[in-house]
Amino acid sequence: MNFIDVCDIEDIDEEDVMRFDHGDETFAIYRTEEGYFATAGLCTHEEVHLEDGLVIDDVIECPLHQGRFNVRTGEALSAPACVNLKTYPVKVEGRRVMMDLDG
C-alpha cells in the first residue's frame, strides 16, 4: 500500500469535499458522518473538478451537469454520469488523513 499524507482532519468540514493534487492526478477527499473517503477528482462525464460539487450524506453532485456519485463506492447514481469514479482507501492516523494512491 502507498499511503500518503493528504490533510489534517479539520481541513474538511462534514459533508464537504476537498481537492487534492498529487503528481499529474487530481483526487477528491470527502468527509461524511461515516468518515473520510477518496475518489478520482474529475467527473467521469465531462472531466469537471468535483471540488465545487455539493455533498449531501455520501453523495457528491457534479457542479456542471449535476451527475451524482456515491463517494464511498464511486458508483454513478444519475445521468448524465454513467461511468463510476475510481475510489481509494483512506485512513486516519492521529489528526492526519492518509490516502492510498494504489487504490
Side-chain angles (χ1 to χ4, degrees):
M1 297 195 130
N2 185 18
F3 279 94
I4 62 167
D5 187 295
V6 174
C7 65
D8 187 85
I9 58 173
E10 295 298 321
D11 288 344
I12 311 171
D13 294 328
E14 194 169 304
E15 290 195 336
D16 204 2
V17 59
M18 181 184 89
R19 178 177 173 173
F20 177 71
D21 295 322
H22 184 75
D24 60 351
E25 294 187 69
T26 296
F27 304 92
I29 314 297
Y30 310 89
R31 181 177 175 189
T32 72
E33 278 187 18
E34 290 81 31
Y36 296 86
F37 301 93
T39 69
L42 299 174
C43 178
T44 58
H45 172 244
E46 290 269 338
E47 295 193 359
V48 171
H49 289 281
L50 294 172
E51 69 183 303
D52 294 324
L54 176 65
V55 179
I56 298 176
D57 296 324
D58 60 354
V59 175
I60 177 78
E61 182 179 272
C62 178
L64 185 60
H65 294 120
Q66 291 70 53
R68 294 180 181 167
F69 302 89
N70 182 301
V71 302
R72 298 173 68 184
T73 66
E75 180 183 1
L77 300 174
S78 68
C82 58
V83 176
N84 296 342
L85 289 171
K86 183 172 181 178
T87 60
Y88 299 86
V90 174
K91 67 180 179 179
V92 175
E93 288 187 355
R95 295 187 51 84
R96 304 304 297 172
V97 178
M98 311 287 289
M99 181 183 76
D100 179 9
L101 291 178
D102 296 332

